[in-house]
């Protein structure tokens, strides 16, 4: 795989996944080989996508569902964010790193200036967050605001010292929220100081992968239902189309035009597009089509060069795999076209390696 500029969109995917402050939605657009035909548990009985077409259930064995499970399990978790993070804005306060009682942990010491007008602010996606802080007998009080409304206070005083207390604050809805942690210049009546000590904030990351693979469709059908397939909150669109174009169009050049139009539509909506090419078909399947998967791989390669973006060629990787293993492609196909469970597992592994996702 080429490195550098051609990996802009795959790098953006990883950047989004690793940023806990933003919601990340990855959309898979494809035909039956994205939907999982041939794999165990294939079931297109989910929500309606367009007309009579329904979404496949995520329990079926296919590369798209496996990728969904891996990404969501790896990235949907709470993250501890240091107050020095670039997404956190600190206004009107001074700070320094300190230790307590020779403890190796570091905290941020917040000093009240000008009557306690300091503010820590950030924007995140979710419905709750935590402030991580020590408690001690010389600490002050904070006001907590969500979307401009005061939702509570945080009194960090206690008679005894303790690290890493987590105080939760809830939002009314799941979505983007603006948080302000404001110094008050106030303290508990028993506290000996108004100084604020904080360690971190803790926020949830939300990443979703939606498999919109639809059995039987070609690129022309995807274009006709594009406004239903591509949604406002999609960030990254992975496109694996063209296999059915081999009998729906008379030549690969027509398919190339349609694929470019679909990509143009997605990019016009601000989506980052990553292209995949499907794996080889059997000789018997190829003999019944107007042109071949090899032709499809060629035109997707041409589009990727024009876009200056890498693409994942399952076609080339499976050709190499079969040669190295000394097997025919039919051994990892269920019916001459669709992968069996072994084939889908290999597609999933290839996709993770290409995208930089840990397996």
């Amino acid at each position: 795989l080429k490195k550098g500029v051609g990996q802009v969109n795959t790098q953006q995917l990883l950047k989004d996944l690793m940023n806990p402050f933003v919601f990340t939605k990855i959309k898979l657009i494809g035909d039956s080989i994205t939907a999982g035909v041939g794999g165990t548990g294939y079931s297109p009985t989910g929500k309606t996508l367009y007309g009579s077409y329904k979404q496949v259930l995520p329990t079926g064995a296919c590369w798209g569902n496996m990728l969904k499970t891996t990404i969501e399990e790896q990235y949907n978790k709470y993250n501890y964010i240091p107050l020095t993070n670039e997404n956190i804005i600190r206004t009107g306060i001074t700070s320094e790193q300190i230790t307590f009682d020779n403890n190796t942990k570091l905290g941020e010491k917040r000093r009240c200036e000008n009557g306690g007008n300091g503010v820590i602010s950030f924007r995140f996606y979710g419905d709750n967050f935590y402030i991580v802080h020590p408690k001690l007998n010389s600490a002050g009080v904070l006001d907590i605001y969500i979307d401009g409304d005061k939702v509570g206070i945080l009194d960090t005083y206690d008679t005894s010292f303790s690290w890493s207390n987590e105080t939760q604050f809830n939002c009314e809805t799941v979505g983007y929220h603006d948080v302000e942690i404001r110094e008050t210049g106030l303290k508990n009546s028993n506290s000996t100081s108004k100084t604020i000590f904080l360690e971190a904030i803790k926020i949830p990351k939300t990443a979703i992968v939606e498999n919109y693979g639809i059995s039987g469709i070609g690129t022309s059908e995807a274009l006709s239902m594009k406004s239903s397939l591509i949604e406002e909150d999609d960030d990254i669109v992975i496109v694996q189309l063209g296999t059915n174009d081999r009998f729906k169009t008379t030549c690969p050049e027509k398919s190339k035009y349609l694929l470019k139009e679909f990509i143009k539509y997605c990019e016009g909506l601000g989506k980052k597009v990553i292209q995949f090419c499907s794996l080889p078909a059997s000789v018997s399947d190829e003999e019944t089509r107007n042109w071949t998967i090899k032709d499809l791989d060629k035109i997707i390669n041409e589009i990727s060069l024009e876009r200056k973006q890498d693409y994942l060629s399952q076609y080339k990787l499976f050709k190499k795999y079969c040669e190295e293993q000394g097997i025919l492609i039919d051994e990892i196909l269920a019916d001459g076209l669709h992968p069996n469970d072994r084939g889908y597992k290999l597609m999933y592994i290839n996709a993770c390696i290409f995208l930089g996702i840990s397996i």
Side-chain angles (χ1 to χ4, degrees):
L1 299 176
K2 299 185 290 295
K3 303 295 182 185
V5 67
Q7 291 185 305
V8 170
N9 287 347
T10 53
Q11 290 172 351
Q12 185 63 51
L13 182 147
L14 282 177
K15 183 179 179 181
D16 286 354
L17 286 174
M18 295 174 66
N19 184 349
F21 290 88
V22 301
F23 170 79
T24 303
K25 185 179 176 186
I26 302 166
K27 177 67 65 63
L28 310 182
I29 301 294
D31 49 40
S32 54
I33 298 177
T34 299
V37 172
T40 301
Y42 167 71
S43 179
T45 57
K47 69 179 183 181
T48 298
L49 300 181
Y50 183 88
S52 61
Y53 294 118
K54 293 185 178 296
Q55 186 177 18
V56 293
L57 297 184
T59 50
C62 69
W63 72 266
N65 288 345
M66 295 177 199
L67 183 66
K68 172 183 174 67
T69 298
T70 295
I71 288 177
E72 293 181 358
E73 287 183 353
Q74 282 188 27
Y75 291 96
N76 287 339
K77 60 184 180 181
Y78 280 94
N79 296 266
Y80 290 90
I81 312 297
L83 300 178
T84 52
N85 185 281
E86 62 182 5
N87 293 288
I88 297 176
I89 300 171
R90 299 180 295 184
T91 306
I93 55 176
T94 61
S95 66
E96 61 180 295
Q97 286 190 321
I98 59 168
T99 59
F100 290 108
D101 301 330
N102 296 318
N103 193 307
T104 57
K105 282 192 173 183
L106 291 175
E108 291 274 347
K109 180 178 181 179
R110 298 295 167 186
R111 289 201 179 94
C112 297
E113 302 287 351
N114 300 321
N117 295 318
V119 179
I120 299 169
S121 59
F122 60 91
R123 192 169 195 253
F124 82 108
Y125 184 92
D127 63 359
N128 68 87
F129 66 94
Y130 294 79
I131 299 175
V132 186
H133 58 93
K135 287 185 176 182
L136 61 161
N137 62 8
S138 57
V141 175
L142 293 163
D143 282 341
I144 310 303
Y145 286 76
I146 299 176
D147 300 326
D149 296 324
K150 182 177 176 179
V151 297
I153 65 169
L154 175 58
D155 185 350
T156 58
Y157 166 82
D158 201 354
T159 54
S160 60
F161 176 83
S162 60
W163 269 112
S164 302
N165 298 278
E166 298 185 4
T167 302
Q168 182 178 15
F169 294 90
N170 297 313
C171 311
E172 292 184 355
T173 60
V174 177
Y176 280 104
H177 298 284
D178 294 304
V179 176
E180 289 187 349
I181 303 171
R182 300 183 184 179
E183 289 183 312
T184 63
L186 303 175
K187 67 181 183 68
N188 186 290
S189 59
N190 295 314
S191 179
T192 61
S193 173
K194 302 173 184 178
T195 305
I196 298 299
F197 301 93
L198 299 176
E199 295 176 59
I201 61 168
K202 177 178 155 183
I203 57 175
K205 168 67 181 182
T206 303
I208 294 175
V209 179
E210 288 274 21
N211 187 347
Y212 273 27
I214 299 175
S215 180
I217 70 166
T219 311
S220 178
E221 286 89 348
L223 272 168
S224 68
M225 58 180 81
K226 60 183 183 293
S227 61
S228 296
L229 298 181
I230 307 302
E231 297 168 301
E232 183 180 356
D233 60 351
D234 294 337
D235 297 300
I236 307 287
V237 180
I238 296 177
V239 179
Q240 183 175 279
L241 289 166
T243 300
N244 292 331
D245 292 353
R246 294 175 303 143
F247 65 88
K248 291 176 178 287
T249 64
T250 57
C251 62
E253 287 73 23
K254 176 64 174 178
S255 183
K256 180 179 179 180
Y257 168 78
L258 295 171
L259 284 167
K260 290 174 69 174
E261 287 296 299
F262 189 81
I263 293 169
K264 180 180 178 182
Y265 174 78
C266 295
E267 291 181 336
L269 296 175
K271 317 304 180 186
K272 300 293 185 183
V273 178
I274 300 171
Q275 281 191 279
F276 286 8
C277 180
S278 190
L279 77 171
S282 67
V283 173
S284 59
D285 179 86
E286 294 276 46
E287 289 175 343
T288 65
R289 311 303 179 188
N290 297 324
W291 43 282
T292 66
I293 299 291
K294 182 178 181 180
D295 296 324
L296 176 63
D297 187 71
K298 179 176 180 293
I299 64 173
I300 293 177
N301 181 55
E302 291 170 352
I303 294 171
S304 74
L305 290 173
E306 293 171 12
R307 299 177 60 232
K308 298 182 180 180
Q309 292 288 335
D310 280 349
Y311 79 106
L312 172 59
S313 176
Q314 297 279 13
Y315 174 80
K316 290 187 179 75
L317 292 174
F318 270 84
K319 292 284 284 188
K320 181 180 180 181
Y321 176 82
C322 290
E323 290 172 4
E324 291 175 345
Q325 297 296 314
I327 62 174
L328 296 175
I329 190 66
D330 300 75
E331 293 188 30
I332 46 182
L333 297 177
D335 54 11
L337 175 62
H338 304 99
N340 55 27
D341 288 359
R342 176 186 175 188
Y344 277 125
K345 181 66 176 293
L346 291 170
M347 291 187 77
Y348 154 74
I349 292 171
N350 291 339
C352 286
I353 292 172
F354 177 77
L355 298 172
I357 305 297
S358 300
I359 301 174

